[in-house]
Amino acid sequence: MKKGTLFRLLAGLAASLIVAAALPVTALGLTPDLNIYSDAYVVMDAASGQVLIEKNMNKQKAPASITKIMTLALALERCNIDDTITVSQEAVNSIEPGSTHIALVPGEVITFRDAVMGTQLISANDAANVVAEHAGGSISAFVDLMNAKVAELGLTGTHFVNPNGLDADGHYVTAYDMAAITRYAISVPGFREVFGETEYQMPPTNIKSRDYVFYAQNAVMFPENAEYYEGIEGSKLGYTYNANHTLVALAKQGNMELIVVALDSTGKDQKYEDMATLLDYCFARYETMTLRAKELQTMEVPIASIERPTDMVEVAADEDYTFVVPLGTAKSSLEIRYNIPDLYKSERTVDPSFSVYGSNGELLFSAPLSYTIQPVERPAEAAPTESVPKDDRLLALLILAIKCLCVLLGVLVVLLLVVRTCIMMNYQKKQKEIQRKKQEAIARRKKALQRQQDELRRREISDLAKGRIIHNDPRIETPPPVPGLPDNVTIIHPNRRVPQQNTRNRQQSGGQRRSQPQNGKVSSGQGSRG
C-alpha cells in the first residue's frame, strides 16, 4: 500500500472514531423485529416526546383523513365550540364526488360542535371544510394556518394542501411529524374529549327536520369489538387510494401514555393489528420515571462583559421531568450531564439544558432548563476597590481565550490534514499524467520505427523489381524470383557484396573452364563476361 493511501486511511479512521465518540448512543428510537404491515410507523411518549420505536418515521407519505387531527386542534384553539355557522357553497362543492360527507347543504345553519363531531366521528370532508372556513375565514387561509403551525412546531417533513386529507399534490406528512402534531393536539383544550368520542347526536337544522346520530368509524374504540384495545383514549383513521390505510391512536396504561402512528398499511384490519402489536411491545418493555426539580443542580454562571460589571445567570429546574426508560432501570444508575458553559458572553444566547444517560452510556432523555439573570450586587464600601471583580473578569476572559485557542488548534489540525490529503492527491495525479505521457512517447517511437522498417522494406522490394544487379553465381543467396526473368538470372540488392575469397575462387574456376573446352565449344564461363 502506498504511503499516501495509508495516511488517508488512518486519517479517515481517526475522524470516524472522533465522530462516533461525539454521537450519543440511544436505547430508544430502535426498529425491533416485528411483523408490521405498515410501511412507516412511530411510537412516541405523549409526555416527553421521546420516540420509543420507529420505522421509516421520516419518510413522506400521503396522510388521508388523519389530516383532520391538525384541522380540529387548530380550529378548537381558535374558536368557541358553541359558535353558529352557515354552510357555504365552497365548503360543500369543493370535495370530491363520492367522498365521505354528512350531506350538508349551502345555507344550512349548524353549530361548530356539529361540524367538529362530523369531522371526527364520520370523517366528513364537507364538515372539515366548514370547520376550516369558520376558523380561518376561508379554506385556503386556514391551510396557511395549518402550515404555519407545522413550522412553529419545528416540523420539516409535512405540508398540507387541504383541511380534509383528500389526495392532492404536495399534501404529505411523516409518521414522526404526525405524532408530534397529535402531541400538540392533545394539549389543546377540548381536543381530548373530541378525540375520544364514540357517538354524537346532531340536532335538526333550518333545513333538516330530524336529528342525526354519528358513530365512530373506528372499531378499536368499542369494547364489544374484537379490535378493541385496552387503554385506548382516542383514534383517527384514514384511507385514500394514494395513502392506503393510515391510523393515529392514543393509549394509556399505568402512568405511560403513548401515541402510535401507522402509515401506508395494507388493509384496515392490518393497521388495527399493527397498532396493537406496537403498543403491546412498548408497554411491556418501557416505564416512566420522574426527576424532581430538587434532584437537579442549581448553578450560577457568570456573564463576561466589558461595558458593565459581571452579571450572573442562575440555572435551575422549575418543574419535574417525566420520561420513559427501559423497564427495570434504577434511578441511581442514571447519569445526569449538564450542558452549561463555564461562562456566558453578554451577547450570547443563554440556553442551558441537561441530558440523562443510562448505565451503558446510552442517551435516554434531554430537556432545557429554566434560568434567570441576576445582577451582581456590590456593597457600597467595596466600590473603590475594583481589584476583585476585575480579577474575576480577567480570569473569565483567560478561560475563554484558552478555549478559543484549543478550538483554533483543532481546526488547524483538521485543515493541515485536508491540505496534506489534497497535496498527495495532486502529486499522484501528476505522476499518473507523467507516466501516461511516457507511455504515449514510447508508443510514438515504436510507430515511427515501424514506419521506417516498412519504408526500408518497400525500397528493397522496389530495387529488386528494377533489377539493378544481375548475376548467375549460385553461391550468392538467392532472393525471391522476380516475375518475367529467366531462371538462371538472379537480382541482388546493390548493398550486398560477394566476399573477395569467393570472387577469386570464381576467377580460378572460370580460368580452368576456359582451358578445358568440350567438343570444341566455349564454356559458360566465357559467357559470363558480358
Side-chain angles (χ1 to χ4, degrees), residues 13 21 30 43 83 103 264 269 287 290 448 502 524:
L13 179 60
L30 305 178
V43 179
D83 287 348
D264 195 5
D269 293 337
E287 62 181 347
T290 299
N502 291 343
S524 59

Side-chain angles (χ1 to χ4, degrees), residues 7 26 29 32 61 91 147 181 252 289 359 395 410 447 465 477 479 494 502:
F7 176 80
T26 176
K61 296 280 188 179
N147 289 317
I181 290 170
K252 184 176 182 180
M289 180 176 290
S359 58
L395 179 61
K447 289 182 180 179
E477 181 181 356
N502 291 343

Side-chain angles (χ1 to χ4, degrees), residues 200-259:
Y200 176 74
Q201 184 173 347
M202 179 179 173
T205 67
N206 61 322
I207 293 179
K208 299 183 178 71
S209 58
R210 65 181 183 86
D211 53 7
Y212 288 84
V213 179
F214 302 150
Y215 293 98
Q217 305 299 302
N218 196 336
V220 300
M221 299 295 295
F222 298 94
E224 63 270 20
N225 292 337
E227 296 87 355
Y228 175 73
Y229 190 84
E230 185 70 31
I232 193 76
E233 294 187 316
S235 181
K236 191 78 186 78
L237 305 180
Y239 172 79
T240 64
Y241 180 80
N242 288 339
N244 217 337
H245 289 272
T246 61
L247 174 144
V248 176
L250 178 69
K252 184 176 182 180
Q253 291 185 8
N255 295 325
M256 186 160 58
E257 188 177 42
L258 301 180
I259 299 169

Side-chain angles (χ1 to χ4, degrees), residues 49-221:
Q50 292 169 276
V51 173
L52 276 59
I53 57 175
E54 62 88 14
K55 175 186 175 184
N56 297 330
M57 70 174 184
N58 294 315
K59 189 175 183 180
Q60 292 176 343
K61 296 280 188 179
S65 286
I66 60 175
T67 299
K68 297 181 175 75
I69 293 176
M70 171 64 93
T71 302
L72 292 173
L74 193 58
L76 287 169
E77 197 174 40
R78 299 170 63 86
C79 304
N80 189 309
I81 193 70
D82 295 318
D83 287 348
T84 300
I85 306 172
T86 300
V87 178
S88 71
Q89 185 83 20
E90 182 185 3
V92 174
N93 295 335
S94 62
I95 65 174
E96 296 178 2
S99 63
T100 306
H101 61 88
I102 55 173
L104 296 176
V105 296
E108 187 173 5
V109 178
I110 63 174
T111 65
F112 182 63
R113 186 189 302 272
D114 296 335
V116 166
M117 290 302 179
T119 301
Q120 169 62 25
L121 298 177
I122 304 300
S123 199
N125 297 311
D126 53 353
N129 285 350
V130 170
V131 169
E133 279 189 340
H134 182 66
S138 68
I139 294 176
S140 60
F142 185 78
V143 171
D144 291 339
L145 293 175
M146 295 171 71
N147 289 317
K149 178 60 71 172
V150 169
E152 179 184 331
L153 295 173
L155 308 177
T156 59
T158 292
H159 183 264
F160 295 114
V161 175
N162 58 58
N164 48 52
L166 293 173
D167 289 334
D169 291 339
H171 191 89
Y172 52 83
V173 300
T174 67
Y176 175 83
D177 288 0
M178 203 64 232
I181 290 170
T182 305
R183 184 169 178 250
Y184 144 74
I186 61 178
S187 71
V188 175
F191 180 85
R192 281 181 176 269
E193 291 76 11
V194 172
F195 200 51
E197 193 58 76
T198 59
E199 180 181 344
Y200 176 74
Q201 184 173 347
M202 179 179 173
T205 67
N206 61 322
I207 293 179
K208 299 183 178 71
S209 58
R210 65 181 183 86
D211 53 7
Y212 288 84
V213 179
F214 302 150
Y215 293 98
Q217 305 299 302
N218 196 336
V220 300
M221 299 295 295

Side-chain angles (χ1 to χ4, degrees), residues 41-45 50-53 258-260 278-279 282:
Y41 67 80
V42 67
V43 179
M44 177 182 288
D45 177 51
Q50 292 169 276
V51 173
L52 276 59
I53 57 175
L258 301 180
I259 299 169
V260 58
L278 295 171
L279 289 175
C282 292

